[in-house]
Amino acid sequence: MNNSQTKHRSSKLISHANGKSLEEINGTVEVPRGKGFFRTLLAYSGPGALVAVGYMDPGNWSTSITGGQNFQYTLMTTILISSLIAMLLQNMAAKLGIVSEMDLAQAIRARTGKALGVVLWIMTELAIMATDIAEVIGAAIALNLLFHIPIIVAVFITVLDVMLLLLLTKVGFRKIEALVACLILVILFVFLYQVILSKPDWGAMLVGLIPSAKAVSQGPVVNGISPLTGSLGIIGATVMPHNLYLHSAISQTRKIDHTDYEDIKRTVRFSTWDSNIQLSLAFVVNSLLLIVGVAVFKNGAVQDSSFFGLYQALSDTSTLSNPILISVAKSGALSTLFAIALLASGQNSTITGTLTGQVIMEGFIHLKMPLWARRLITRLLSVLPVVLCVMLTAGESELKQHEAINMLMENSQVFLAFALPFSMLPLLIMTNSKVEMGAFRNALWTQILGWISVIGLTFLNLYNLPSTFRGFGIWSNQTATGLAYVTIIVILALLGWTIIDIMRGDKRLGAQQIKHKWEA
């Protein structure tokens, strides 16, 4: 391609893409050879931080804190198990990207027809927008709490984070990774500080980590929520489809020699270390959030579980559990730190959401646009439901407005239950495949744990749909249940189509490999 053609192509807002995943940053980060373990790990560290952001975004906060308020330490085991499943799936995603040199969207599209590719793209785009709604709400509320900006104005200010992203794309990917890691540490510090002041029952917390039937029981029902519902909420807010696409792309940012087996092996190894360390931090943050619900507040003291309600509860000495917290709360420090952590969480998710959007657009439909344009379109679409929610509840009481915004955020996460199986199942099938992974295919124990995790998460997400549809309050219970079952049938049919297409595609690719060997 000559220079004039390249220039013309780059000047278009939307252009054709069929090259490497996130081509601008693919293979741009140098890594040392023959150095010590920690120096090498540092060079590979970064992608795990961007992935871990999705496991501690604003969508996780209310589920974990409410779970602690309602059921004490019972749901600690749910956070632990969902974190271990996340580690398993994210390691598969990173390995797929490193070994195959394709991200998850590209690998799926290579095996499926155009029609299914478009269906999966639309589904994943909607899942990213659903995640973005939680980020808009979290960031807008944080701006309102910190600077007293009217919520409707704060919502539109969140659109301007596209300028932050535009700036970051100019400074290099390593600096983006460093910024994200710093914001994660801010969130960790805020909740660790609050938990230490609250003097929790560490023994009861450790007992809560032990798997128990109580965590998935349908009783007791507290504030309209059972332990099972609370567990499903935590799982739904933890394992999200966009993280699998993201990790399979950004794991390719390190410069490696794909003709060298040892180089690939080293990259897989250190990427696994990076991912597991960062996801362990995410587990700690989510555990701290649940402990905040148990130990910082008096049992049942938080009536409004929205971000507004939690902020007010951290300012109200009557809701706090001990004299130390009360004395710190009088200075406003607890509530201010909470709002700062909320803003940090929203900004972190902004960066990763935009990168993921680019990955799935390029991978599924081979279209590409500048990151700032991609972000602006996605954010404007995500802002609309929030603006409508604020406008429709403008005449209601403050508590009703907070409840409506909180309900919008929680309901937006429901779509993640639809989209998750369509990323998990293909990922598992492809990383189990010798055609794609060769010597790096999943070990037998990984395959077994993978199938248990994928089938279990898919079942739990679909199992919870009838009660979720009834919770919308739009239809009668009978109609809501009927719609939920129709949705489940459609999802299972689409899953069947996806699995069959991927299996056929895998056989086709295998046959092509054999043909090339014979020709060689």
Side-chain angles (χ1 to χ4, degrees), residues 34-247:
K35 302 296 181 182
F37 175 84
F38 289 106
R39 184 172 174 182
T40 308
L41 177 61
L42 183 63
Y44 280 99
S45 295
L50 271 72
V51 169
V53 164
Y55 293 92
M56 55 181 92
D57 73 347
N60 292 66
W61 290 32
S62 60
T63 54
S64 294
I65 293 176
T66 303
Q69 267 283 288
N70 292 338
F71 307 112
Q72 300 296 294
Y73 296 104
T74 301
L75 304 188
M76 284 289 293
T77 186
T78 305
I79 294 176
L80 175 62
I81 291 171
S82 59
S83 296
L84 291 173
I85 292 173
M87 289 180 186
L88 183 70
L89 293 173
Q90 294 299 159
N91 286 336
M92 289 182 193
K95 187 168 66 171
L96 175 70
I98 294 164
V99 175
S100 71
E101 299 182 73
M102 291 190 289
D103 60 53
L104 180 58
Q106 291 172 327
I108 293 174
R109 184 65 184 86
R111 289 164 170 75
T112 56
K114 186 175 181 180
L116 182 58
V118 171
V119 169
L120 294 177
W121 170 64
I122 292 171
M123 185 178 297
T124 313
E125 286 281 10
L126 290 172
I128 291 174
M129 288 178 192
T131 306
D132 208 35
I133 287 173
E135 294 159 14
V136 169
I137 291 172
I141 291 175
L143 290 170
N144 173 265
L145 295 174
L146 288 170
F147 306 110
H148 307 292
I149 299 170
I151 194 70
I152 194 77
V153 177
V155 166
F156 282 106
I157 288 175
T158 66
V159 176
L160 298 178
D161 67 14
V162 70
M163 302 305 294
L164 170 65
L165 191 70
L166 187 60
L167 175 65
L168 288 173
T169 56
K170 304 295 182 184
V171 300
F173 193 68
R174 280 298 269 171
K175 292 184 177 66
I176 294 176
E177 292 174 343
L179 175 63
V180 168
C182 289
L183 290 173
I184 288 174
L185 290 175
V186 169
I187 300 167
L188 178 64
F189 165 77
V190 168
F191 290 111
L192 184 61
Y193 174 69
Q194 293 187 355
V195 165
I196 289 171
L197 290 181
S198 68
K199 296 182 178 179
D201 185 342
W202 297 108
M205 184 201 70
L206 291 173
V207 171
L209 290 171
I210 300 171
S212 166
K214 291 180 182 179
V216 290
S217 66
Q218 294 185 322
V221 175
V222 181
N223 296 323
I225 299 173
S226 68
L228 175 61
T229 306
S231 287
L232 290 173
I234 289 171
I235 292 169
T238 302
V239 185
M240 292 187 287
H242 74 276
N243 269 329
L244 302 177
Y245 290 98
L246 177 66
H247 207 176

Side-chain angles (χ1 to χ4, degrees), residues 132-137 140 151-152 155 381-393 405 408-409:
D132 208 35
I133 287 173
E135 294 159 14
V136 169
I137 291 172
I151 194 70
I152 194 77
V155 166
L381 290 172
S382 303
V383 157
L384 286 175
V386 185
V387 171
L388 285 172
C389 181
V390 172
M391 291 175 65
L392 291 172
T393 58
I405 292 173
L408 172 63
M409 184 180 70

Side-chain angles (χ1 to χ4, degrees), residues 136-430:
V136 169
I137 291 172
I141 291 175
L143 290 170
N144 173 265
L145 295 174
L146 288 170
F147 306 110
H148 307 292
I149 299 170
I151 194 70
I152 194 77
V153 177
V155 166
F156 282 106
I157 288 175
T158 66
V159 176
L160 298 178
D161 67 14
V162 70
M163 302 305 294
L164 170 65
L165 191 70
L166 187 60
L167 175 65
L168 288 173
T169 56
K170 304 295 182 184
V171 300
F173 193 68
R174 280 298 269 171
K175 292 184 177 66
I176 294 176
E177 292 174 343
L179 175 63
V180 168
C182 289
L183 290 173
I184 288 174
L185 290 175
V186 169
I187 300 167
L188 178 64
F189 165 77
V190 168
F191 290 111
L192 184 61
Y193 174 69
Q194 293 187 355
V195 165
I196 289 171
L197 290 181
S198 68
K199 296 182 178 179
D201 185 342
W202 297 108
M205 184 201 70
L206 291 173
V207 171
L209 290 171
I210 300 171
S212 166
K214 291 180 182 179
V216 290
S217 66
Q218 294 185 322
V221 175
V222 181
N223 296 323
I225 299 173
S226 68
L228 175 61
T229 306
S231 287
L232 290 173
I234 289 171
I235 292 169
T238 302
V239 185
M240 292 187 287
H242 74 276
N243 269 329
L244 302 177
Y245 290 98
L246 177 66
H247 207 176
S248 64
I250 60 176
S251 64
Q252 299 178 55
T253 55
R254 272 50 186 174
K255 186 179 288 186
I256 63 172
D257 180 2
H258 283 278
T259 63
D260 184 345
Y261 171 82
E262 290 300 326
D263 207 14
I264 298 172
K265 184 178 178 181
R266 178 172 51 252
T267 303
V268 170
R269 178 191 173 206
F270 281 101
S271 295
T272 299
W273 271 101
D274 172 44
S275 174
N276 288 345
I277 289 170
Q278 299 292 349
L279 289 175
S280 295
L281 279 178
F283 162 70
V284 171
V285 169
N286 285 322
S287 298
L288 291 172
L289 285 164
L290 186 137
I291 296 168
V292 164
V294 178
V296 172
F297 306 110
K298 292 177 182 176
N299 190 30
V302 180
Q303 300 301 313
D304 180 0
S305 61
S306 70
F307 294 136
F308 290 106
L310 293 169
Y311 179 86
Q312 292 299 328
L314 287 167
S315 308
D316 184 355
T317 56
S318 67
T319 65
L320 299 174
S321 62
N322 69 50
I324 298 175
L325 284 167
I326 290 170
S327 63
V328 177
K330 287 178 180 177
S331 69
L334 291 182
S335 54
T336 301
L337 285 172
F338 175 83
I340 290 171
L342 184 58
L343 186 60
S345 178
Q347 290 311 300
N348 254 350
S349 301
T350 286
I351 298 167
T352 58
T354 306
L355 290 172
T356 308
Q358 193 65 49
V359 168
I360 65 163
M361 179 180 280
E362 291 180 17
F364 279 126
I365 59 174
H366 303 318
L367 291 181
K368 181 178 184 177
M369 66 170 59
L371 288 178
W372 66 267
R374 163 80 210 185
R375 184 58 188 172
L376 189 60
I377 293 169
T378 306
R379 179 49 63 97
L380 286 172
L381 290 172
S382 303
V383 157
L384 286 175
V386 185
V387 171
L388 285 172
C389 181
V390 172
M391 291 175 65
L392 291 172
T393 58
E396 303 285 347
S397 67
E398 192 176 84
L399 180 61
K400 289 287 185 183
Q401 291 178 34
H402 296 173
E403 287 176 349
I405 292 173
N406 202 50
M407 185 64 70
L408 172 63
M409 184 180 70
E410 291 180 0
N411 288 342
S412 71
Q413 306 300 293
V414 172
F415 199 85
L416 300 178
F418 302 165
L420 185 58
F422 294 92
S423 56
M424 289 192 304
L425 270 168
L427 175 64
L428 181 59
I429 291 169
M430 288 186 291

